[in-house]
Amino acid sequence: MKTYNVKSIKNKEISISGKGDNSIWQEANSLTDFSSPWDVEPVKKIEFKAIHNSEKIFFQFKVDDNETHIHPSEDKNESINNSDRVELFFKSDNSLNPYYCLEIDTTGRIMDFKAKPNREFDFNWNWPTQEIEVKSTIHKDYFIVEIAISIRSLKDLNLLKGGFIETGVYRAKYNQQQNNTFEPTWITWIHPKTETPDFHIFTSFGLLKLENK
């Protein structure tokens, strides 16, 4: 299983802006090992970083994209589900019973839900609002999404165990077709070894290892 080392900044403070401008990000490891195993076209660069202190884990996606897509539905979840976005899934074990999903579009809107095997999704569940923060910015050639999640909430959900978090790191890129519809390209850190795109499977998860935990 692939492992990403989440460096510790100990008791240093960090605030997220969605701009990638906090110098503390320079201390984080850079992960760019993303691909779309089901698509022959190469994907544009995605850089993922994570870092933690004693209270929170901080995540950052910097995604090369000069034409982001937001689906115009008035229903927030329907819109996010059909828009360019980044995703983090967390599981406590391979049973996926349950696992927790965060799907965040380029404007920083969150679609968070609790899931069980066979795509049984509970959209009435939400990550506790006081335990998560998201900010984002869209630029000419890229966008940034930053996420802060409390250590306490990860422990409460039985996701942080022995300094490890089993995590899926993904991206959905929506491309305009000749008929003006939009179709997704599914991009992942871990190839789940499936014939068709599927992130809702235990083989699509890697490990985040929290330094000094």
Side-chain angles (χ1 to χ4, degrees):
M1 184 178 290
K2 289 184 179 179
T3 301
Y4 171 89
N5 186 50
V6 182
K7 288 188 176 181
S8 170
I9 53 173
K10 297 183 179 178
N11 294 320
K12 294 180 183 178
E13 293 296 323
I14 180 172
S15 59
I16 62 171
S17 64
K19 299 177 182 178
D21 55 357
N22 194 311
S23 61
I24 207 73
W25 289 115
Q26 297 175 16
E27 300 186 30
N29 290 317
S30 174
L31 174 66
T32 58
D33 186 17
F34 291 91
S35 66
S36 179
W38 312 278
D39 197 305
V40 296
E41 296 295 327
V43 301
K44 291 186 176 181
K45 181 180 177 181
I46 301 166
E47 184 176 29
F48 171 81
K49 292 181 176 182
I51 202 161
H52 77 94
N53 60 20
S54 60
E55 300 294 329
K56 296 179 180 179
I57 303 179
F58 306 89
F59 304 92
Q60 183 193 92
F61 290 84
K62 183 179 179 182
V63 182
D64 285 3
D65 194 341
N66 59 4
E67 195 171 0
T68 58
H69 172 65
I70 294 293
H71 183 69
S73 173
E74 293 183 3
D75 181 272
K76 186 193 76 168
N77 282 357
E78 181 184 2
S79 177
I80 295 171
N81 192 49
N82 292 283
S83 297
D84 284 357
R85 63 186 184 274
V86 295
E87 303 180 357
L88 290 173
F89 291 2
F90 304 103
K91 68 181 176 73
S92 59
D93 57 51
N94 286 348
S95 73
L96 298 180
N97 191 18
Y99 60 107
Y100 301 89
C101 307
L102 299 173
E103 305 192 6
I104 303 167
D105 73 6
T106 58
T107 70
R109 296 181 302 168
I110 308 173
M111 180 170 67
D112 48 351
F113 55 98
K114 181 179 180 179
K116 293 183 178 181
N118 301 314
R119 297 176 179 266
E120 183 182 333
F121 302 151
D122 178 5
F123 290 101
N124 291 319
W125 181 91
N126 299 108
W127 207 283
T129 55
Q130 69 274 17
E131 308 292 345
I132 187 170
E133 181 182 14
V134 174
K135 292 188 177 180
S136 68
T137 54
I138 302 173
H139 303 263
K140 179 181 177 182
D141 295 318
Y142 65 93
F143 68 88
I144 293 175
V145 174
E146 293 180 347
I147 309 151
I149 297 176
S150 73
I151 298 287
R152 178 175 61 187
S153 66
L154 291 163
K155 288 181 176 178
D156 287 347
L157 295 171
N158 196 34
L159 297 172
L160 176 58
K161 296 183 290 186
F164 290 90
I165 309 171
E166 298 184 63
T167 307
V169 187
Y170 318 108
R171 148 99 158 123
K173 170 57 188 168
Y174 276 76
N175 302 289
Q176 189 169 12
Q177 309 300 303
Q178 290 185 347
N179 62 0
N180 291 324
T181 62
F182 286 82
E183 295 294 334
T185 296
W186 301 104
I187 302 164
T188 179
W189 171 33
I190 307 295
H191 185 350
K193 307 301 182 183
T194 57
E195 291 186 7
T196 57
D198 190 356
F199 298 160
H200 298 272
I201 185 171
F202 75 89
T203 53
S204 75
F205 288 70
L207 282 178
L208 303 187
K209 181 182 184 299
L210 274 61
E211 186 180 82
N212 300 330
K213 279 287 184 183

